Amino acid sequence: MTADESNLSLEQLTRDTVNVYNDIVSRHKKEGETLKVLLVGHSLGGAIAVRAARTNELQGLCGLVVIDVVEGDQ
């Protein structure tokens, strides 16, 4: 749940992705696992994946696959 469920901006979707990703990785680390994660995104998900990877906040990220990304993402 977020403060504004109607906010579907790329910035908010990216922040949500980073937060969920890091929560999942942190849970596995507590169990003593070492993760190497490949992030995959298609279309708008690809744009979000690229933006999330560019934050340099994704623990254990070892690769990024983008399929048919929407135009305008850098």
Side-chain angles (χ1 to χ4, degrees):
M1 180 75 72
T2 62
D4 183 3
E5 292 290 320
S6 65
N7 182 355
L8 299 177
S9 67
L10 278 176
E11 293 76 18
Q12 186 62 53
L13 294 171
T14 300
R15 177 61 24 215
D16 291 345
T17 299
V18 169
N19 290 340
V20 169
Y21 175 103
N22 284 331
D23 183 63
I24 291 169
V25 170
S26 293
R27 290 177 191 213
H28 284 275
K29 281 187 174 182
K30 287 179 184 174
E31 296 173 8
E33 298 177 36
T34 301
L35 296 180
K36 291 184 180 179
V37 181
L38 177 66
L39 187 61
V40 179
H42 172 262
S43 192
L44 177 59
I48 294 166
V50 167
R51 288 171 182 260
R54 288 180 63 195
T55 68
N56 294 319
E57 296 177 38
L58 302 180
Q59 307 167 34
L61 183 65
C62 68
L64 174 66
V65 176
V66 180
I67 304 166
D68 196 29
V69 70
V70 294
E71 281 189 48
D73 190 59
Q74 299 175 3

